[in-house]
Amino acid sequence: MKKLSFILSFVSIFLFMVKVNAQEITTFTGFWGAEYYQDDKELSKKEFKSLLYTNNEAAIYWKKAETNETIGYVALLAQLGLAIWTGAELAKDDGNSLEPALGSLGFGILGSLFLHFSNQNAKKAILTYNKQFDNKTTFRLVPTSNRNGIGLALKF
């Protein structure tokens, strides 16, 4: 009876082993945008955002990044409109193209700055999320056997 209870307890511990691993997020620039990975598993943007929103500080940085990205793209869209207007004014003989050209330049600089700030905030969000794993020890409980018998060992 003792042997059976020992085997059952060993099997239950083996099946319900404690396993804690760091799940840091990494991002790579892809052809169509950023690609997100958690260890070696690729994440969709929706999964990535749901992970970031579990950490309040990282969520704040990510919201700032999304806001800056939106403002940046709106500014670049305004730049495109002003560039088209500049082209139309240049096509006219008596057209004044200085104002739309300066506006296009200004919105281009503004859009580039906001996209740069968006990139910085996105990096801060990922680094902040990953920082929560810095002080945690990763370990797992593994079954082991040697000449002295069978047992469990902590593997770091």
Side-chain angles (χ1 to χ4, degrees), residues 41-60:
K41 179 187 165 216
E42 186 171 3
L43 299 172
S44 67
K45 189 163 185 173
K46 185 177 180 180
E47 293 170 330
F48 168 73
K49 285 172 64 173
S50 69
L51 279 175
L52 278 184
Y53 286 136
T54 60
N55 184 316
N56 291 334
E57 193 177 352
I60 291 170

Side-chain angles (χ1 to χ4, degrees), residues 11-139:
V11 169
S12 64
I13 290 173
F14 177 75
L15 293 176
F16 300 106
M17 288 186 302
V18 176
K19 185 173 182 179
V20 178
N21 287 325
Q23 299 285 318
E24 292 188 349
I25 294 177
T26 310
T27 182
F28 297 104
T29 305
F31 186 72
W32 297 109
E35 296 174 354
Y36 306 104
Y37 291 89
Q38 186 176 24
D39 292 335
D40 61 345
K41 179 187 165 216
E42 186 171 3
L43 299 172
S44 67
K45 189 163 185 173
K46 185 177 180 180
E47 293 170 330
F48 168 73
K49 285 172 64 173
S50 69
L51 279 175
L52 278 184
Y53 286 136
T54 60
N55 184 316
N56 291 334
E57 193 177 352
I60 291 170
Y61 283 126
W62 187 255
K63 287 176 185 176
K64 285 181 185 178
E66 286 182 326
T67 303
N68 287 340
E69 184 180 38
T70 302
I71 293 170
Y73 283 132
V74 167
L76 291 179
L77 187 64
Q79 178 197 18
L80 178 65
L82 287 170
I84 292 171
W85 182 19
T86 302
E89 288 294 322
L90 286 173
K92 295 180 185 176
D93 288 337
D94 60 346
N96 187 5
S97 62
L98 182 62
E99 291 86 6
L102 290 177
S104 177
L105 179 65
F107 275 111
I109 292 170
L110 188 67
S112 297
L113 284 174
F114 273 101
L115 289 177
H116 174 72
F117 295 143
S118 171
N119 190 26
Q120 281 185 334
N121 283 324
K123 286 179 185 178
K124 285 180 186 177
I126 293 170
L127 290 174
T128 302
Y129 177 82
N130 289 342
K131 191 182 348 175
Q132 68 184 337
F133 300 112
D134 285 350
N135 296 329
K136 291 186 180 179
T137 304
T138 60
F139 66 92

